[in-house]
């Protein structure tokens, strides 16, 4: 008999593999999934991120472009949400 607090079941391997990793889903939404995959493949092959600097830079630059593209929208949205006082 399971002790209280330890009665949960781990999902089966098949169930666990069917669910998309939240980090992978987030990266896919950035448009940088290909660069991330290349970085992961390099890391798996080389076992040392220092040997994967080209992939690290490519992924970082892709994410930076994504962030820069988002900044004007955020700034415009925050100005609309919080208009400047008119001094009335």
């Amino acid at each position: 008999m399971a002790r209280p607090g330890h009665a949960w079941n781990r999902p089966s391997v098949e169930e666990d593999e069917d669910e998309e990793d939240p980090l992978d889903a987030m990266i896919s939404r950035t448009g940088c999934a290909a660069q991330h995959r290349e970085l992961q493949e390099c890391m798996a092959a080389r076992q040392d991120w220092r040997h994967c600097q080209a992939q690290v830079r490519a992924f970082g630059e892709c994410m930076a472009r994504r962030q820069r593209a988002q900044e004007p929208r955020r700034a415009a949205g925050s100005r609309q949400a919080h208009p400047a006082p008119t001094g009335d």
Side-chain angles (χ1 to χ4, degrees), residues 19-30 33 36 40:
E19 294 180 28
E20 185 176 22
D21 178 45
L23 180 62
D24 288 340
M26 182 180 69
I27 291 171
S28 291
R29 288 191 298 269
T30 68
H36 185 253
Q40 285 183 314

Side-chain angles (χ1 to χ4, degrees), residues 1-77:
M1 184 169 150
R3 292 182 297 178
H6 296 283
W8 58 277
N9 293 324
R10 291 187 70 100
S12 69
V13 172
E14 294 85 24
E15 289 175 21
D16 200 32
E17 289 178 0
D18 288 342
E19 294 180 28
E20 185 176 22
D21 178 45
L23 180 62
D24 288 340
M26 182 180 69
I27 291 171
S28 291
R29 288 191 298 269
T30 68
C32 299
Q35 292 86 347
H36 185 253
R37 186 181 59 252
E38 289 173 15
L39 175 57
Q40 285 183 314
E41 289 172 359
C42 180
M43 293 282 296
R46 303 297 298 270
Q47 299 291 309
D48 188 344
W49 65 271
R50 294 172 292 188
H51 294 285
C52 302
Q53 288 304 295
Q55 293 84 352
V56 169
R57 277 192 293 281
F59 180 58
E61 289 168 1
C62 182
M63 293 298 286
R65 281 192 302 273
R66 162 78 176 183
Q67 188 173 5
R68 284 191 301 270
Q70 291 291 326
E71 285 174 359
R73 283 189 233 147
R74 283 191 200 130

